[in-house]
Amino acid sequence: RNLEAELEDSRFPDVSSDDQVHDARRLKPRDQVLHFLNELGWLFQKAAACTPSIESDVSDSELIQFSTARFRHLLLFSNERDWCSLTKTLLEVLSKRSLVSEELSQETLEMLSEIHLLNRAVKRKSSHMVHLLVQFVVICPDNSKLYPFLPNYPGPGGLTPLHLAASIDDAEDIVDALTDDPQQIGLSCWHSVLDDEGISPEVYAKFRNNGSYNELVARKLVDRKNSQVTIVLNKGEIHMDQPENAGANNSSGIQALEIRSCSQCAILESGLLRRPMRSRGLLARPYIHSMLAIAAVCVCVCVFMRALLRFNSGRTFKWERLDFGPT
């Protein structure tokens, strides 16, 4: 549905080739959308035919016909629109294709290093896309793991995703995602990786008055060193230790977290950090009930006084005519 507005009154050429991929930027936005959908449909059709669960004569070699340049176009189109699920699916198909030969594997890595998907996601402050790329892993035939999107991979000017995140305002979630990679490279390189000018992400954060980023990294380094978890509540910290060895008598296998005795924990136990109760206002309920009762009596009296009263004489009596006598 995100593409419906761009699909109206569009034209699309009948042939799909690598030449059109290179000329995709010259097409109109609507034509680019249709070109993307056509390429995506062709790829998914071939990828579905190559799955082991489907009996087909199509082998993995059919995916080789889908060139690396066409994969590049699909990845850029999906990444720029923050389509995380589609980007993950494309990367999985691309990794399966790259395992066919060593030449394709090298060509794929070169293409990914050129388009800098992680840098693009950091610039857009897309935390979900950053987390997806940092956590993405390729299982090689020898059961080794390959992480193609590293937080310390240098881009133009030697700027890594860590440098870009440190220079952006209100990007604590981006810094948190970059320093939470499985290999903990981002956390270790925050102070050491340098750009072409010899400046680290830590210094970038100081120059941009983003000291909270350095505090976040320092807190995570302390947590990793002490094997603990830090929870921040109202600018206060509560440390929770994680025991490395579970007790032998723990049949459920769940390791309990031992809360360190500190002033913050005492405050929590006393209930001072609980959700405050709603204010009752200036008047308590009994006073409000009394005022409502008095107001109801006054309304009834006013209605009675304004009504037309008849006496035994048969004449109509009105309070407005009391000073003037009978009519």
Side-chain angles (χ1 to χ4, degrees):
R1 293 183 178 180
N2 297 332
L3 301 177
E4 288 181 356
E6 303 181 33
L7 289 176
E8 298 178 357
D9 300 332
S10 60
R11 297 179 180 178
F12 180 67
D14 297 333
V15 183
S16 177
S17 62
D18 293 340
D19 295 336
Q20 292 181 5
V21 173
H22 294 294
D23 297 338
R25 294 183 179 180
R26 302 178 183 178
L27 299 176
K28 296 180 180 180
R30 301 184 184 91
D31 296 337
Q32 292 181 10
V33 171
L34 284 178
H35 179 67
F36 168 79
L37 294 177
N38 184 70
E39 292 283 88
L40 191 65
W42 192 97
L43 175 62
F44 282 174
Q45 183 180 6
K46 295 298 182 181
C50 295
T51 55
S53 59
I54 300 178
E55 297 181 359
S56 176
D57 297 334
V58 181
S59 60
D60 292 344
S61 60
E62 293 291 335
L63 291 177
I64 302 178
Q65 299 179 5
F66 201 87
S67 64
T68 305
R70 297 166 76 177
F71 268 107
R72 173 193 177 110
H73 171 67
L74 293 179
L75 286 173
L76 288 176
F77 196 94
S78 303
N79 182 270
E80 291 174 356
R81 287 160 176 78
D82 292 332
W83 294 340
C84 297
S85 299
L86 180 57
T87 301
K88 181 180 179 181
T89 303
L90 291 174
L91 289 174
E92 291 174 350
V93 177
L94 180 62
S95 62
K96 180 180 179 181
R97 172 182 175 272
S98 64
L99 296 178
V100 174
S101 65
E102 185 67 24
E103 182 180 357
L104 279 177
S105 178
Q106 185 65 25
E107 181 182 352
T108 300
L109 291 177
E110 292 178 357
M111 182 269 293
L112 293 178
S113 63
E114 291 176 358
I115 59 179
H116 299 288
L117 294 180
L118 187 56
N119 287 15
R120 295 172 182 267
V122 171
K123 291 179 181 179
R124 294 194 315 273
K125 299 172 64 174
S126 176
S127 58
H128 296 288
M129 183 64 69
V130 171
H131 185 269
L132 166 66
L133 296 176
V134 169
Q135 300 292 332
F136 184 78
V137 59
V138 179
I139 306 299
C140 300
D142 57 353
N143 292 330
S144 61
K145 296 182 179 180
L146 173 64
Y147 295 91
F149 305 101
L150 299 177
N152 64 338
Y153 187 82
L159 296 177
T160 66
L162 295 173
H163 288 89
L164 297 177
S167 60
I168 300 176
D169 297 333
D170 300 328
E172 289 190 9
D173 53 344
I174 304 298
V175 176
D176 188 20
L178 290 174
T179 55
D180 197 28
D181 60 297
Q183 297 176 303
Q184 296 186 345
I185 295 178
L187 195 60
S188 303
C189 296
W190 180 261
H191 305 281
S192 58
V193 63
L194 305 177
D195 61 359
D196 293 347
E197 301 295 333
I199 303 177
S200 65
E202 178 188 12
V203 179
Y204 268 78
K206 291 180 180 179
F207 287 165
R208 297 287 184 173
N209 295 326
N210 294 326
S212 59
Y213 302 169
N214 293 330
E215 295 176 1
L216 173 63
V217 174
R219 184 166 58 247
K220 296 179 74 172
L221 287 173
V222 173
D223 292 345
R224 185 180 67 174
K225 180 180 179 181
N226 299 333
S227 299
Q228 66 184 18
V229 177
T230 300
I231 303 175
V232 180
L233 293 176
N234 297 331
K235 298 183 180 180
E237 295 183 0
I238 297 178
H239 303 281
M240 303 179 67
D241 297 334
Q242 293 180 340
E244 296 180 358
N245 299 324
N249 298 329
N250 190 358
S251 58
S252 62
I254 301 177
Q255 298 181 358
L257 295 177
E258 299 177 357
I259 302 179
R260 181 182 302 176
S261 58
C262 56
S263 59
Q264 289 89 347
C265 298
I267 294 176
L268 282 180
E269 292 180 358
S270 63
L272 295 180
L273 293 181
R274 294 179 181 176
R275 186 177 180 180
M277 298 179 62
R278 295 183 178 179
S279 176
R280 294 184 177 180
L282 299 177
L283 298 177
R285 286 187 177 181
Y287 295 99
I288 295 178
H289 292 168
S290 301
M291 294 179 63
L292 290 177
I294 295 174
V297 172
C298 294
V299 170
C300 293
V301 171
C302 292
V303 172
F304 177 77
M305 297 290 289
R306 296 288 298 178
L308 297 177
L309 302 180
R310 287 184 174 274
F311 293 89
N312 294 333
S313 60
R315 290 188 176 184
T316 302
F317 175 80
K318 292 185 178 181
W319 291 99
E320 292 85 351
R321 301 175 182 177
L322 184 61
D323 295 337
F324 302 97
T327 57

